[in-house]
Amino acid sequence: MEHEPIRTPDEPAAAGDRPERAAPRHRALVATLLSVAAVGYALDQTTKWLVQANMTLGETIDVWPPFLRWHYILNPGAAFSIGTEVTWIFTIIQAAVVVYVFSLLRKLGSWPWAVALGGLLAGAAGNLTDRLFREPSFGMGHVVDFISVPNFAIFNIADSLVVCSMIAICLMIFKGLGIDGRPADAEPSR
């Protein structure tokens, strides 16, 4: 009787493993990524809807003064309102990020990468939705921002997801963890 090697959840399947054994794990990783993305996207869009439904533009509400306030603004640019005249560039970048994350699904072999890419997908898709469907026009929409902390830009949940996900991705790259779950310097399996 042949015994299966014991692997940790983040250890990749060996090159000789049968595809039918790797497929359920890959499906679970993709499902995790898409679940994180769906929850993050829903949270982002719901909070933006609540802000627009319950606040007037420019209104500030103290949540935990002086550290946290809700301050409702519409941002045509990026962080710190940079690039307000080239909103369409941010639309293209966010669309490219969404497409790129989907293109990585077939390579996915790591739980941390699944969570980080799910957060990145949620954040990019959340702000892309604003760019596409909010005023003043398709592709040039202004993003709803409302989270205000001292001496920093006003941001939203999507922005937080993008920043946290990119920090996690950078840490994984620096630690040498490849998207497939193997060390970055390991030979790819065939």
Side-chain angles (χ1 to χ4, degrees):
M1 175 184 266
E2 184 179 321
H3 294 284
E4 283 294 313
I6 298 173
R7 286 192 294 271
T8 62
D10 283 330
E11 190 176 341
D17 280 358
R18 288 182 235 147
E20 63 269 13
R21 291 188 186 152
R25 182 172 188 274
H26 184 258
R27 282 193 295 271
L29 288 165
V30 171
T32 299
L33 183 153
L34 295 175
S35 296
V36 168
V39 169
Y41 179 82
L43 184 61
D44 175 65
Q45 292 299 299
T46 300
T47 55
K48 288 172 178 176
W49 178 82
L50 287 169
V51 165
Q52 286 195 299
N54 295 297
M55 295 179 70
T56 58
L57 191 59
E59 181 180 359
T60 300
I61 298 173
D62 285 330
V63 177
W64 188 23
F67 304 107
L68 179 63
R69 293 183 170 91
W70 296 157
H71 182 92
Y72 173 28
I73 65 167
L74 295 173
N75 186 357
F80 303 98
S81 294
I82 295 169
T84 58
E85 300 300 319
V86 288
T87 300
W88 60 273
I89 290 176
F90 302 116
T91 304
I92 292 170
I93 291 169
Q94 289 161 342
V97 169
V98 168
V99 169
Y100 184 66
V101 170
F102 277 108
S103 78
L104 294 175
L105 291 181
R106 62 183 168 74
K107 296 179 181 181
L108 190 59
S110 161
W111 295 105
W113 274 95
V115 173
L117 289 173
L120 181 61
L121 178 58
N127 282 339
L128 178 61
T129 299
D130 288 10
R131 298 284 183 205
L132 293 176
F133 301 113
R134 293 195 190 276
E135 295 294 331
S137 64
F138 183 80
M140 300 283 286
H142 295 180
V143 173
V144 173
D145 285 335
F146 63 93
I147 303 170
S148 177
V149 294
N151 304 311
F152 196 70
I154 301 170
F155 56 99
N156 58 43
I157 301 295
D159 298 333
S160 299
L161 288 166
V162 168
V163 170
C164 292
S165 296
M166 289 307 299
I167 289 170
I169 288 168
C170 288
L171 289 174
M172 287 184 286
I173 290 170
F174 288 139
K175 286 180 68 177
L177 178 63
I179 190 169
D180 61 359
R182 297 163 13 107
D185 58 357
E187 291 288 320
S189 61
R190 295 179 195 217

